[in-house]
Amino acid sequence: MRTEIENDGPPRSPGPAAAKPVPVLAHLAAAWAVGSVFLPTAGAVLPAMLFAGGEAVFLVLAALGVAAILGYLVIVIRATRDVSVLGATRGGRLLWALLVMGPGTAGWALGWAATDAAGLGVSRDAALAFPLGGVPYALVAGVLVRGWRHRAVALVLSVALLAAGVAVLRQEPPDELEARLAARSVHRETAYVVAIPGYRPDDNAYGGGLGGSGFAPANPASVPPDRYITIAAYDRLMVGEDMCGQPTALDAHLPVGSCTAEPGGLVYRRGPVEHGYQVRVGRRYVAVVGSAAVGHALLRSAARSLRPATARELGDQEQTGDYYAAKIPGYTPQLTGIPAGLIYTPADHTGNGAQTVRITMYVSYAGGEDVCFLTKECTPAGSGLTYVRKEDTHGYAVRRGTVTVQVLGGLRVDARLLRQATLDARPATDDELRRALPPLEPSTGLDRFRRWLRAL
């Protein structure tokens, strides 16, 4: 009886068997010695050589040390070639030595940095540094041994330690926030924040609508326009410039958009931002110019009431014949320098539109400032608050431990809003400070590496 045997090809040779435990341990121990014996020895010798022989000697010895470690690893893999999957060929053995030295050293450096960042102090404790220093080299060698079980254990341990090291290094060092505060001259005690309904902070660095200093209305349309009138004299004319039969004074801040001749020889000029009149007084041309929010009739009345400014209006300034004043109800004058003249603003301090609705928070150490100094009104307002009224601002002050918090706004700001903002002001949290403060400039390669990790 004939029996047929199916044969799909030549007999298959069994795959490489897993290495035995004792040779594997000897193989791994030899790789472990790189980080636990050779590198600590080099770390003790090389700094002394740098001090004794200078930088050139240090570099030569460092290069010799790298070559010695690489040569040692080549000897190790030749002696234990049957243990590793790369031990069969000369090229494989050289690759093994480079892999153990390169990634092993990277893991060694990462491990020291991570344990120092975690405050474990391994690098300063010889009893811990000796057994742990060679672990990264042994793990790299373990990933390359024969037998999937050995490789799996080494790979899992490598990934776990790498993930733990990265997680630690991504965290901010305990003293970094304090260093960032010091770099920006920010004192934690006076770093207060508040969110004010209907307002946005000038700098939204804290996030969440929180601000630590200035605030402006969230709706720009709610900002009232500026109101002012300037009066300045000029004695030179622009060549060939004529509007409605009237020449234009050189350097005068006078609108040149359109003109209208009015009774009494006045010429009204209107531009996109300002409008007003130019009146000839002797050899000078006096410009009476107002912001767009100032009424036409008020400017006309001012132009018709021009006269030389009095000594009282000029204060300490000498009257040179260049200063003119006018009768402008509801406005008070001040001297200006460029151009020399007078500027009139509303007597109730509501003329500077943006400033009348701005809010500012001030935080100072208690006792360092008298909140009632130079105020028109300073009265207790309950809940530990003090209401203060100054020339063009008002608001509240409150004592918070070692600091005094003041929230002041322009005269158009509702006092109730300022009161609530003063009560709501609180110290900034660490997370808010981290967000608001710029990071420190990295000073070492490790600093740059940690910043890169945090950006991932």
Side-chain angles (χ1 to χ4, degrees):
M1 183 175 178
R2 183 180 177 183
T3 303
E4 296 184 358
I5 300 177
E6 295 182 358
N7 188 357
D8 294 333
R12 298 177 180 175
S13 60
K20 295 181 179 180
V22 173
V24 169
L25 289 176
H27 177 79
L28 298 181
W32 167 87
V34 174
S36 290
V37 177
F38 287 98
L39 288 185
T41 301
V45 173
L46 288 178
M49 292 298 100
L50 177 62
F51 178 78
E55 184 176 351
V57 174
F58 172 83
L59 293 176
V60 170
L61 290 178
L64 291 176
V66 172
I69 292 175
L70 184 61
Y72 166 77
L73 289 173
V74 170
I75 294 173
V76 168
I77 188 61
R78 287 185 63 184
T80 58
R81 68 185 68 186
D82 294 335
V83 173
S84 174
V85 295
L86 295 178
T89 65
R90 181 177 300 174
R93 292 192 289 271
L94 178 60
L95 177 61
W96 181 91
L98 292 172
L99 287 175
V100 171
M101 186 172 68
T105 301
W108 177 83
L110 177 66
W112 290 146
T115 53
D116 285 347
L120 301 178
V122 174
S123 60
R124 298 182 298 274
D125 189 338
L128 293 175
F130 177 73
L132 297 180
V135 169
Y137 298 92
L139 288 176
V140 175
V143 174
L144 300 175
V145 299
R146 295 183 185 277
W148 67 270
R149 289 185 179 86
H150 299 314
R151 291 199 298 271
V153 171
L155 184 61
V156 169
L157 288 175
S158 299
V159 172
L161 291 176
L162 178 63
V166 169
V168 170
L169 291 177
R170 289 190 63 175
Q171 300 299 315
E172 181 184 70
D175 57 348
E176 182 170 318
L177 178 57
E178 300 304 322
R180 290 167 67 182
L181 289 168
R184 302 293 292 185
S185 298
V186 174
H187 299 281
R188 184 187 293 273
E189 298 85 353
T190 59
Y192 270 63
V193 294
V194 69
I196 302 177
Y199 278 75
R200 55 174 176 77
D202 295 340
D203 184 357
N204 196 31
Y206 290 104
L210 293 168
S213 181
F215 297 81
N219 180 12
S222 65
V223 177
D226 290 344
R227 290 186 294 151
Y228 60 85
I229 300 171
T230 59
I231 301 177
Y234 306 89
D235 57 6
R236 294 186 300 169
L237 298 176
M238 295 181 65
V239 178
E241 182 71 21
D242 189 280
M243 296 186 67
C244 294
Q246 184 188 72
T248 299
L250 188 65
D251 299 328
H253 293 180
L254 195 68
V256 295
S258 65
C259 63
T260 303
E262 296 184 357
L266 292 177
V267 175
Y268 172 69
R269 303 187 183 193
R270 185 170 191 88
V273 178
E274 296 177 322
H275 62 140
Y277 292 87
Q278 176 182 288
V279 180
R280 181 165 185 173
V281 181
R283 65 178 181 84
R284 292 178 175 82
Y285 292 84
V286 183
V288 180
V289 182
S291 62
V294 177
H296 182 180
L298 186 61
L299 289 174
R300 184 190 298 117
S301 174
R304 288 176 173 170
S305 64
L306 282 172
R307 55 173 173 77
T310 65
R312 181 178 179 182
E313 291 168 326
L314 294 179
D316 296 331
Q317 178 63 44
E318 180 184 358
Q319 173 60 276
T320 60
D322 295 322
Y323 294 94
Y324 288 82
K327 183 179 180 181
I328 308 176
Y331 283 69
T332 55
Q334 280 184 296
L335 283 169
T336 61
I338 302 177
L342 295 178
I343 181 170
Y344 287 75
T345 56
D348 62 359
H349 301 285
T350 60
N352 192 345
Q355 294 300 320
T356 62
V357 291
R358 280 189 58 79
I359 297 175
T360 306
M361 179 172 65
Y362 305 93
V363 184
S364 59
Y365 287 103
E369 180 181 1
D370 181 6
V371 297
C372 293
F373 182 65
L374 294 179
T375 60
K376 300 178 68 175
E377 181 181 349
C378 190
T379 57
S383 302
L385 298 173
T386 300
Y387 175 75
V388 294
R389 169 74 182 264
K390 299 185 179 182
E391 193 70 29
D392 53 5
T393 60
H394 71 139
Y396 292 84
V398 66
R399 176 81 173 264
R400 300 289 189 201
T402 60
V403 300
T404 297
V405 180
Q406 295 186 70
V407 180
L408 304 179
L411 297 181
R412 292 179 183 267
V413 181
D414 189 347
R416 292 171 297 181
L417 183 65
L418 296 172
R419 177 188 176 91
Q420 190 59 50
T422 307
L423 293 173
D424 291 342
R426 59 169 176 79
T429 65
D430 283 357
D431 287 341
E432 290 163 350
L433 289 171
R434 289 188 183 95
R435 174 170 178 167
L437 295 171
L440 295 174
E441 288 298 321
S443 58
T444 65
L446 178 60
D447 291 337
R448 285 186 282 272
F449 179 63
R450 297 186 72 168
R451 177 177 292 187
W452 177 77
L453 288 177
R454 292 177 202 168
L456 295 178

